[in-house]
Amino acid sequence: MKKVSPKPAPSETPLLGRRSLLLGTIMGSVSVAIGNSVLGRANALAAPPLDETFLGVSRAITGRPDLDPVLSSRLCAAMQTTFPGYASTIESLARITAQGGQPHEILDRSGDLKKAFLALNAAWYTGSTEDKTNAPMVAYYDALMYQPTKDGLPVPTYCFGRPGWWTEAPPPLGIPIHAPLPATPPPPAPPGVESKIPPQSPPLKPITPSSPPYIPKSRQEH
């Protein structure tokens, strides 16, 4: 009778290898993601000193304590690219703003740095480093000049909603739809007292000459 040799048990080594590889890949990806997240937060919290100085000067000269730090960092880099040696200008501006005061008070005591303050203020409001063709553009939608009317007027090239939103009824603003009734007209003014013309003397009558007019002898001869 022929012996049938038992089948060898399947080796588990390849299976464990695949599981280990998959587990290692997952753990490695998670570690990289956590590391990048922590590193990103650390970089955001530890902003360069120049960026912090620039943000402080910007808040003082614009009077806006809610300026975006990320946008401020980008604008700081763009200003340094546009204006060589702008780092020293930032430090000079910081010494002026460190004395405190409102924006108009800072400008009053800025002296020769007044133009630099105004240029920085304009950069925040326009979103560009210069009012010039091909100047670096840092912000458009978030430029300060569009913020006061952002709730009532869309930023140019942007819209409030889906296409055709302007055909819908505008949101209520607390203004009555129907015009109010006209107010009761005031009573007519009392008639004025008629003033009589004072009596005048009659006009003088023409005087008729009693004798013929005098004619010179020279004319009589002619």
Side-chain angles (χ1 to χ4, degrees):
M1 190 172 178
K2 187 176 180 182
K3 281 187 176 183
V4 179
S5 59
K7 295 181 179 180
S11 175
E12 295 182 358
T13 303
L15 180 60
L16 294 176
R18 289 193 294 270
R19 289 179 179 177
S20 300
L21 179 61
L22 180 60
L23 182 60
T25 302
I26 294 175
M27 293 301 295
S29 301
V30 172
S31 300
V32 171
I34 294 176
N36 290 338
S37 177
V38 173
L39 182 60
R41 291 182 180 179
N43 291 336
L45 295 176
L50 187 61
D51 287 359
E52 295 181 356
T53 304
F54 182 83
L55 179 59
V57 172
S58 300
R59 287 173 173 172
I61 195 59
T62 59
R64 301 286 295 269
D66 57 343
L67 295 179
D68 184 8
V70 176
L71 182 59
S72 176
S73 179
R74 294 173 181 173
L75 184 58
C76 179
M79 296 293 280
Q80 293 181 76
T81 302
T82 306
F83 306 105
Y86 194 73
S88 60
T89 303
I90 296 175
E91 298 295 339
S92 300
L93 298 178
R95 287 191 289 270
I96 301 297
T97 57
Q99 304 174 18
Q102 298 297 321
H104 67 276
E105 297 173 346
I106 297 175
L107 287 176
D108 290 341
R109 64 171 184 266
S110 59
D112 296 338
L113 295 174
K114 186 174 184 179
K115 290 184 177 180
F117 273 121
L118 294 176
L120 176 59
N121 192 65
W124 273 103
Y125 273 86
T126 61
S128 179
T129 58
E130 288 183 293
D131 184 14
K132 186 178 180 181
T133 304
N134 297 327
M137 175 68 70
V138 178
Y140 180 73
Y141 185 82
D142 295 324
L144 294 185
M145 65 178 177
Y146 297 125
Q147 304 309 308
T149 58
K150 204 171 185 177
D151 59 338
L153 294 175
V155 177
T157 73
Y158 287 81
C159 65
F160 282 141
R162 58 185 178 277
W165 63 269
W166 55 85
T167 61
E168 301 175 0
L173 298 177
I175 302 176
I177 299 177
H178 302 287
L181 297 177
T184 304
V193 179
E194 184 179 358
S195 60
K196 297 182 180 180
I197 301 176
Q200 298 180 357
S201 58
L204 298 177
K205 297 180 180 180
I207 301 175
T208 304
S210 57
S211 58
Y214 173 75
I215 300 176
K217 291 184 179 182
S218 59
R219 292 188 176 182
Q220 292 178 0
E221 293 177 358
H222 292 289

